[in-house]
Amino acid sequence: MARVLKIDHLGIAVKDLKEAVEAYKEILGVEPVEIEEVPQEKVKVAMFKVGESYIELLEGTTPDSAISKYIEKRGEGIHHIAFRVEDIEKAVEELKDKVRFVYDKPRVVSNGKRIINFIHPKSAHGVLIELVERKEEH
Ligand code: CMX
């Protein structure tokens, strides 16, 4: 069976979440399904549902957040692709000798709604990949 169920979301790094939400409301023609802070990742995020997947806008909440550092170096834009997996522990176990994961252990975020880990862009031809197991769908 394929490891990845689908593209869960595209993450877009933005400087100002409020402004970006207004722009993407226009572009996508829908309201965000969720806006929340994810302290473990030092970000505020807005999720828009687009068909079977999501667009995630991310603003860093501290200068040392991965998003703030990314924008400083490269400017706003697509930051990561997230692939949905059924069982993240299993996926990490199967892949850990083949790719470099950012975190030693998957992190539980969004009050337990998502469990995530990242494959370093050096292991994926310049793309930061998030693996996500979702406990709850919007
Ligand atoms: N996409 C592609 N390449 C990226 C990248 C990205 N998003 N972020 C960094 N890089 C590249 C850098 O340009 C650099 O490449 P060069 O060496 O060719 O210049 C290289 O990766 C740097 O790697 P590094 O020194 O190991 O690390 P950085 O300090 O730049 O951090 C990373 C990179 C991936 C380890 C860090 O961003 C990280 O820990 N990410 C995971 C957490 C995260 O992104 N959280 C926010 C999202 C949370 C959420 O979705 O909820």
Side-chain angles (χ1 to χ4, degrees):
M1 199 188 104
R3 173 169 296 114
V4 170
L5 301 175
K6 65 180 193 173
I7 293 177
D8 186 86
H9 64 267
L10 295 181
I12 300 176
V14 304
K15 286 184 188 159
D16 183 318
L17 189 67
K18 256 193 187 155
E19 264 182 31
V21 164
E22 290 311 310
Y24 275 81
K25 268 161 64 171
E26 292 294 338
I27 295 165
L28 301 172
V30 289
E31 295 285 327
V33 288
E34 185 165 58
I35 296 183
E36 66 172 343
E37 188 159 341
V38 183
Q40 298 97 323
E41 295 296 323
K42 300 176 180 163
V43 289
K44 286 189 291 191
V45 308
M47 283 280 186
F48 289 84
K49 187 144 196 178
V50 179
E52 292 295 305
S53 302
Y54 301 89
I55 293 291
E56 178 184 52
L57 305 177
L58 306 111
E59 177 191 328
T61 50
T62 61
D64 68 333
S65 126
I67 296 298
S68 310
K69 289 203 291 192
Y70 180 86
I71 289 178
E72 200 179 301
K73 196 166 170 192
R74 298 186 174 201
E76 293 181 300
I78 293 188
H79 176 260
H80 63 267
I81 299 177
F83 293 135
R84 174 95 58 100
V85 294
E86 180 107 40
D87 178 341
I88 193 156
E89 295 283 355
K90 182 166 174 267
V92 170
E93 191 55 36
E94 286 170 358
L95 281 171
K96 70 173 198 267
D97 295 333
K98 302 185 179 94
V99 300
R100 174 172 154 202
F101 279 96
V102 171
Y103 302 138
D104 291 341
K105 289 202 145 295
R107 286 187 175 177
V108 179
V109 297
S110 294
N111 297 319
K113 283 180 284 183
R114 293 184 288 145
I115 311 172
I116 62 174
N117 204 343
F118 292 86
I119 296 174
H120 196 281
K122 295 285 181 208
S123 290
H125 296 260
V127 177
L128 176 61
I129 291 177
E130 176 181 333
L131 296 184
V132 56
E133 176 184 329
R134 266 187 201 271
K135 297 295 186 195
E136 214 176 88
E137 184 85 67
H138 290 288

